[in-house]
Amino acid sequence: MSGIVAYPPRPGARVKVIGAGLPRTATNSFVAALQILLDGPPYHVGVQTAMAESEKDVLTWIDILEKRPYRDEGERQAGLRQIEAILDGYVATADPPASQLVPELIEIYPEAIVVCTTRDMETWANGMVTITAMVRPRLQRFIFFWMGNLRHLPRMWDLLPKVFAERYGAQTRTKADAKQVYERHHQWLEEIVPKNKLFYFNVKDGWEPLCKALDVPLFKDIPFPRLNDSKAFEGIFREWAMQGLLRWAAVLGCGVVCFSVLAIWVR
């Protein structure tokens, strides 16, 4: 993903900003800006789980999601420990499922502020319907089967609509449902986040509102990072799919060769 980075953790860093924006609200531009403002590594779930060399992160998020809704306090506390461990060394969060775990994040990081990235709802709803149609977990399980940590992503993608349905009473298969998710997400944040700690931010507005929310000096000399999340995701998604199909072709090709050799040998 051009300009999109999976940051390594920095020992001692602690979450100062909880990114509560829904996917497709310029979350990659948001974390790139936070990396500059907070001088530390942000954790964008989609990027970190997809681009990490280890399967640990994606498997941890899957386990966290599978615990919900919590059956008892012990299970909830176990989930909190997992979240804190995976975010150790990072200064900010963004992207689902972290943006749907705001109550847990507030409990772990009571000193952090919550910033919800926003976008024109009509445009956002159209984009979410498109991406929901593109990401078909059952098909992706097959395509990514030979691709390390990527093979686990469809499991996480399959769990997220269930979280949306639980929290907002809708998913994002249709434009009307997507709009309901958008509106109810903001309503939910206003119910659970103290008013003085909740900020809304559209990346189109540049540095000023973000700097004000973080109470840091206004950046004037550095251009605000503007990464095209939509095109980047669609491009990398197609690249992953092609790699997955090529690996299947290689595996099946080897299988045909081995079968042919075996057939000749047993004659």
Side-chain angles (χ1 to χ4, degrees), residues 13 16 33 40 45 62 69-70 81 84 87 98 105 108 123 131 145 161 185 198 200 224 227 233 237 258:
K16 298 177 182 178
V45 180
I62 287 170
Y70 307 113
R81 288 192 294 272
E84 187 169 17
L87 296 176
L105 291 168
I108 299 168
T123 306
I131 203 69
F145 186 80
H185 180 66
L198 177 60
Y200 291 97
F224 190 91
L227 308 178
F233 179 83
F237 192 83
C258 291

Side-chain angles (χ1 to χ4, degrees), residues 11-66:
R14 187 168 171 82
V15 171
K16 298 177 182 178
V17 176
I18 297 167
L22 290 165
R24 310 280 291 206
T25 56
T27 53
N28 283 306
S29 297
F30 173 61
V31 297
L34 289 178
Q35 193 276 331
I36 297 169
L37 291 176
L38 299 177
D39 190 27
Y43 191 104
H44 186 290
V45 180
V47 175
Q48 298 290 148
T49 53
M51 300 179 72
E53 295 180 5
S54 168
E55 300 178 359
K56 180 181 176 181
D57 280 23
V58 66
L59 290 175
T60 299
W61 287 114
I62 287 170
D63 193 48
I64 290 167
L65 287 173
E66 288 180 337

Side-chain angles (χ1 to χ4, degrees), residues 143-158:
I143 293 175
F144 297 153
F145 186 80
W146 303 104
M147 296 184 67
N149 64 317
L150 287 181
R151 68 194 174 98
H152 299 294
L153 285 179
R155 276 180 65 198
M156 188 167 79
W157 294 338
D158 204 22

Side-chain angles (χ1 to χ4, degrees), residues 177-218:
D177 283 349
K179 286 182 176 181
Q180 180 173 315
V181 167
Y182 190 90
E183 290 176 339
R184 291 194 176 176
H185 180 66
H186 290 189
Q187 291 170 3
W188 171 66
L189 290 176
E190 288 163 14
E191 291 169 2
I192 63 168
V193 183
K195 194 171 183 179
N196 65 329
K197 290 206 168 188
L198 177 60
F199 300 87
Y200 291 97
F201 173 63
N202 189 318
V203 298
K204 289 182 178 180
D205 296 331
W207 289 118
E208 187 171 355
L210 188 57
C211 290
K212 186 176 180 180
L214 272 61
D215 194 24
V216 298
L218 177 62

Side-chain angles (χ1 to χ4, degrees), residues 124-125 128-129 132 157-182 184:
W124 182 85
M128 281 305 297
V129 170
T132 300
W157 294 338
D158 204 22
L159 288 166
L160 285 172
K162 296 174 184 176
V163 175
F164 276 34
E166 171 196 334
R167 178 132 296 147
Y168 315 120
Q171 299 182 15
T172 54
R173 293 193 181 98
T174 69
K175 190 173 177 181
D177 283 349
K179 286 182 176 181
Q180 180 173 315
V181 167
Y182 190 90
R184 291 194 176 176

Side-chain angles (χ1 to χ4, degrees), residues 124-141:
W124 182 85
N126 287 331
M128 281 305 297
V129 170
T130 299
I131 203 69
T132 300
M134 181 184 295
V135 178
R136 287 173 284 179
R138 289 183 182 179
L139 176 61
Q140 303 314 324
R141 281 193 185 97

Side-chain angles (χ1 to χ4, degrees), residues 215-237:
D215 194 24
V216 298
L218 177 62
F219 270 54
K220 294 182 179 179
D221 300 328
I222 302 175
F224 190 91
R226 300 190 185 279
L227 308 178
N228 193 322
D229 294 36
S230 301
K231 286 187 177 179
F233 179 83
E234 290 169 10
I236 197 68
F237 192 83

